[in-house]
Amino acid sequence: MKVFDLRCAHEHTFEGWFGSEDDYLSQQSRGLVTCPVCGDTGIVRVPSAPRLNLSGATGRDTASTASAGGSPGAKGSAAKSGPSSAPSLPPEIAQAQREIQALWMKAVRHVIANTEDVGKNFAEEARKIHYQEAPERNIRGTVSREESEALADEGIDVMALPIPEGAKETLQ
């Protein structure tokens, strides 16, 4: 099993798990590797810190080894992860981006878990709920920009929330 750190053109970083490097390259060439946040297929591999399991090492030693990045082993491992056209971000910015991305995904999952998917019938269902022709409940679905503006003109509050395809499926 190969675990690669990946980044899309919008700077979203995530891990990808593949059977082999050839499997990754094959999926990448067919446009099957997509960002779980935005669905972008412009994915590049980025250098990653090694994951070392050292027998007899304390949790403190393991943590400092994994984050140091200055040891020869870490340098060699980063070089093996392949070339990347994505520039490296300062660690504090990269960490802040990961935290924001995790919060956004948590919010998306919350919305999915606590709403009914009415699909393309969103505008119709929202109107029925607004005019008390249907029971009040939380719904989600798709509407065109024109439909969204028409709902707003009627005083029906809607919010656009892009949900990546990967978040719509059950996560393992």
Side-chain angles (χ1 to χ4, degrees):
M1 182 65 59
K2 296 282 187 178
V3 180
F4 297 131
D5 286 340
L6 306 171
R7 183 182 299 150
C8 76
H10 303 286
E11 299 293 322
H12 302 130
T13 56
F14 57 98
E15 278 187 349
W17 292 42
F18 303 92
S20 66
E21 184 164 359
D22 289 339
D23 186 29
Y24 162 74
L25 293 172
S26 171
Q27 289 185 39
Q28 177 76 350
S29 68
R30 293 181 287 152
L32 299 177
V33 181
T34 61
C35 175
V37 176
C38 64
D40 183 24
T41 57
I43 306 299
V44 295
R45 283 174 54 188
V46 293
S48 61
R51 289 171 179 82
L52 303 175
N53 292 326
L54 303 174
S55 62
T58 64
R60 183 181 195 135
D61 291 342
T62 304
S64 64
T65 302
S67 63
S71 69
K75 201 177 210 182
S77 191
K80 287 181 186 174
S81 70
S84 169
S85 60
S88 185
L89 297 172
E92 57 277 358
I93 293 175
Q95 179 62 29
Q97 281 188 335
R98 284 190 296 274
E99 289 172 6
I100 291 169
Q101 183 177 324
L103 286 171
W104 182 81
M105 286 301 292
K106 183 178 179 181
V108 167
R109 287 187 184 113
H110 178 81
V111 167
I112 289 171
N114 294 287
T115 58
E116 177 187 337
D117 186 3
V118 295
K120 295 183 184 214
N121 296 328
F122 181 84
E124 180 183 337
E125 274 309 301
R127 284 189 179 95
K128 286 180 182 178
I129 293 168
H130 181 75
Y131 295 113
Q132 299 174 351
E133 297 169 2
E136 188 171 321
R137 64 197 190 281
N138 297 322
I139 61 171
R140 70 179 187 282
T142 56
V143 293
S144 67
R145 181 175 305 247
E146 294 79 18
E147 288 175 317
S148 179
E149 290 170 359
L151 289 169
D153 289 343
E154 292 179 49
I156 303 170
D157 294 327
V158 297
M159 183 181 90
L161 179 65
I163 299 178
E165 289 301 316
K168 294 176 185 176
E169 301 169 7
T170 303
L171 298 176
Q172 300 289 326

